[in-house]
Amino acid sequence: MTIIIIKVIMLPTQIPNWIGTQEQPTQANEWFDKLNPANGQVLFKVARSRQADIKQAIEAAKKAQPSWADTPAVQRGMILHKIVVGMQNRQSDIAAIVAAETGKSMKEALGETGGAIQCGLFYASEGQRLYGRTTTSGTANKYAMTIRQPIGVAGLIIAANTPIANVAWKVFPALICGNAAILKAAEDTPATAWIFGQIAKEAGLPDGVLSIMQGFGEEAGAPLVAHQDVGVISFTGSTEVGRIINRSAGERFARISLELGGKNPLVVCDDADLENAVKWVLLSAFSNAGQRCASTSRIIIFESVYEKFRDMLVEKTKKLKVGITDDCDFGAVINEGQLLGMVSAVEKAKKNGATILCGGERMTDAEHKDGYYMAPTLIENVDPHDEISECELFGPVALLFKVKDFEHALQMANDTPYGLTASIHTQSIHRATRFYDKVQTGVAVVNAGTHGSEPHMPFGGRKLSGNGSREPGTEALNIYSELKDVYINIDPTQV
Ligand code: NAD
């Protein structure tokens, strides 16, 4: 087989599917090109799966699942732990692939891989704690409890932004609960999912328990979502696609978990530590090139500190370094379509009267012109209901809004179709408490950035950011398992 070399790791020139522990091309032998976001060059070809390939993976999963379910959860956890050890041993290989596929630095990719490992460790140990509940009964000699059971086949569909974390967030909880899983990798990050499949095989995961399918959403994702034998669909991606998935899987009453987009506010009060707030805005708005569901995209500032804060922020933003080396603050966006969409949204806002404080354009200097780089962008003078204020751009673009006081800030923070994360910067416990109490999001943060959850904590959004499900944490176990009530009646006269 021909191989190509990315940093230290050797990859096949074609990324196939894993159907169970077998690497396979698609039945029609179709492939598509995966481009490097840092320079626009072809990295490798990727299997273009269609319905027939998905059906094959579902058949393999159905065959493998009963004996996986019969494997004690503690032993399932031990196999997952071997996968985690494999990830630890190959952390730099995984990170090299993540960096190459996403156009981010190796440093950032290593950090993300560390997070995925932490998530795996958490769920491997959950094999020892798949708790049900024992309780009382209203009837004499009757005993009541709940037990957790697998659902069957889990269909997992993920976005490309933090690819190895996204794989771990779904595969580990699905498997520890005794399901067989089919992961539809993001078309922009196929090799990250592929190497996870290889590590899972090396760790001894039984054949058929995990399949990793490559391809596009409508061709490979939609048949997985629609298939009646896939009992649970867990999706991380845009609200637009989440709506389609909700309709398709909802029609057949599948369990559905939707982790969707955000338009996350960060409030800067007049009593905030402005240096600290600037630091967190820079990280929250621009890290990972703003491609985080939890990214800060609306900065809501008290009018009495507006000019001062804006000037401090603009000055620091202009100094951010964009590129793929470890000293850079962020890298490329994932593909050219994403970049062009953002540039045109900014252009439209400009025509409508917005002021571009910095950035606003594709970077076209010699170092960046071949890749998909967006300059860090800050915008003011937009209406909270303008298109750019309400739509998620998923890039390094943030808007500044001026407010009178706390109540105005809270009202604006909540005046959005989304409800994923929010942050407030204040020295006042009264403001901080009222904010986390009243803000309509799944995560609220005081005096730091807008961010996702740690692996042992539940994450999810309100309104258009999700359907109320929460992953990861132990809450994810409720997505991937069925609770069954068990009642035991005894006859004490027979003792
Ligand atoms: P996307 O919705 O375009 O794609 C996500 C995945 O869905 C991909 O694997 C894609 O192939 C698949 N898909 C597309 N159409 C499909 C269909 N009809 N049926 C089944 N699958 C289909 O999202 P994206 O642009 O890749 O990712 C960015 C989005 O993801 C942003 O909105 C971001 O906020 C969101 N996101 C949310 C979270 C969260 O936890 N809430 C985390 C990361 C990203």
Side-chain angles (χ1 to χ4, degrees):
M1 183 193 289
T2 331
I3 48 165
I4 53 172
I5 298 178
I6 292 177
K7 294 210 170 139
V8 287
I9 173 172
M10 293 187 291
L11 279 181
T13 48
Q14 294 184 324
I15 303 292
N17 290 326
W18 284 105
I19 299 195
T21 52
Q22 306 302 317
E23 280 185 295
Q24 292 197 17
T26 64
Q27 292 180 26
N29 201 23
E30 290 182 277
W31 304 88
F32 65 93
D33 288 340
K34 158 65 193 163
L35 306 183
N36 183 342
N39 58 23
Q41 310 262 304
V42 176
L43 270 175
F44 33 70
K45 292 200 172 294
V46 185
R48 184 169 178 172
S49 309
R50 303 213 183 231
Q51 188 170 27
D53 305 295
I54 298 299
K55 264 174 97 174
Q56 195 187 344
I58 294 171
E59 287 312 314
K62 280 164 57 184
K63 205 164 146 216
Q65 193 269 335
S67 66
W68 180 242
D70 284 345
T71 305
V74 175
Q75 286 179 32
R76 293 200 295 263
M78 285 164 75
I79 295 175
L80 296 193
H81 190 257
K82 285 192 182 148
I83 299 179
V84 175
V85 171
M87 291 173 77
Q88 284 169 326
N89 291 339
R90 299 189 67 186
Q91 186 163 356
S92 61
D93 291 352
I94 299 170
I97 291 176
V98 169
E101 288 198 309
T102 58
K104 64 181 83 167
S105 70
M106 188 67 184
K107 185 171 137 198
E108 207 166 330
L110 274 169
E112 178 189 324
T113 310
I117 288 169
Q118 226 186 322
C119 180
L121 273 177
F122 175 76
Y123 284 113
S125 305
E126 280 306 294
Q128 294 158 327
R129 287 184 295 265
L130 275 188
Y131 296 135
R133 195 155 57 101
T134 56
T135 184
T136 54
S137 164
T139 304
N141 301 315
K142 183 176 171 186
Y143 296 82
M145 62 181 166
T146 60
I147 57 171
R148 259 182 210 287
Q149 299 200 303
I151 292 178
V153 178
L156 315 174
I157 301 178
I158 54 173
N161 60 331
T162 48
I164 191 64
N166 294 357
V167 169
W169 251 234
K170 298 220 184 287
V171 169
F172 284 113
L175 295 187
I176 196 64
C177 288
N179 304 289
I182 298 166
L183 175 79
K184 207 297 278 172
E187 54 269 43
D188 284 312
T189 49
T192 304
W194 170 83
I195 194 174
F196 185 90
Q198 190 182 65
I199 292 169
K201 176 188 163 101
E202 286 163 7
L205 191 69
D207 193 19
V209 167
L210 173 66
S211 289
I212 293 179
M213 305 301 289
Q214 308 289 353
F216 295 109
E218 285 178 12
E219 296 169 359
L224 185 62
V225 173
H227 201 289
Q228 61 185 9
D229 294 336
V230 180
V232 50
I233 296 289
S234 177
F235 171 73
T236 294
S238 62
T239 297
E240 189 190 352
V241 173
R243 190 174 274 125
I244 296 169
I245 287 176
N246 201 37
R247 237 180 264 135
S248 167
E251 180 68 27
R252 58 184 186 83
F253 297 113
R255 177 90 48 92
I256 310 170
S257 173
L258 300 175
E259 301 282 350
L260 309 176
K263 193 79 183 178
N264 307 290
L266 184 148
V267 173
V268 182
C269 298
D270 53 1
D271 60 345
D273 173 345
L274 295 187
E275 288 286 349
N276 188 48
V278 166
K279 180 186 100 178
W280 281 108
V281 167
L282 292 173
L283 283 168
S284 298
F286 301 125
S287 66
N288 209 34
Q291 300 168 111
R292 298 185 312 121
C293 53
S295 205
T296 291
S297 44
R298 296 183 301 133
I299 310 160
I300 299 171
I301 309 155
F302 277 35
E303 60 189 4
S304 56
V305 292
Y306 184 89
E307 272 82 23
K308 184 172 179 199
F309 181 79
R310 178 195 61 195
D311 295 349
M312 287 166 71
L313 181 62
V314 170
E315 191 198 328
K316 289 257 168 74
T317 302
K318 284 181 176 164
K319 290 187 184 145
L320 292 177
K321 190 162 181 233
V322 181
I324 56 168
T325 50
D326 282 351
D327 59 338
C328 290
D329 294 287
F330 67 87
V333 298
I334 195 73
N335 59 46
E336 195 161 33
Q338 166 74 11
L339 173 66
L340 298 179
M342 253 182 313
V343 171
S344 91
V346 173
E347 278 303 315
K348 203 166 163 193
K350 216 155 88 177
K351 281 199 188 108
N352 290 339
T355 306
I356 313 301
L357 294 164
C358 55
E361 292 165 343
R362 180 178 192 158
M363 298 175 78
T364 52
D365 58 291
E367 191 191 332
H368 298 100
K369 67 179 171 39
D370 296 328
Y372 313 136
Y373 294 99
M374 178 85 184
T377 300
L378 294 171
I379 301 177
E380 68 175 359
N381 292 329
V382 290
D383 185 88
H385 294 292
D386 281 352
E387 195 178 339
I388 198 161
S389 310
E390 297 208 320
C391 292
E392 184 191 38
L393 294 180
F394 213 54
V397 180
L399 313 171
L400 278 66
F401 296 96
K402 196 185 283 184
V403 288
K404 290 194 301 290
D405 54 19
F406 177 84
E407 288 305 324
H408 189 192
L410 180 62
Q411 177 270 325
M412 195 180 282
N414 284 334
D415 191 12
T416 165
Y418 292 100
L420 196 54
T421 70
S423 169
I424 188 165
H425 283 251
T426 177
Q427 303 295 321
S428 159
I429 190 161
H430 310 290
R431 281 176 172 168
T433 305
R434 187 158 165 81
F435 185 79
Y436 77 64
D437 190 27
K438 295 294 175 197
V439 75
Q440 294 158 0
T441 55
V443 181
V445 177
V446 177
N447 290 335
T450 51
H451 55 67
S453 296
E454 296 183 36
H456 60 290
M457 296 287 281
F459 182 62
R462 293 165 68 168
K463 302 195 269 185
L464 295 189
S465 293
N467 64 344
S469 66
R470 293 291 182 266
E471 299 182 61
T474 49
E475 287 75 6
L477 305 175
N478 294 332
I479 290 162
Y480 297 106
S481 59
E482 295 280 6
L483 282 179
K484 184 183 278 174
D485 276 16
V486 177
Y487 299 103
I488 299 171
N489 295 278
I490 62 153
D491 179 354
T493 63
Q494 300 211 18
V495 170

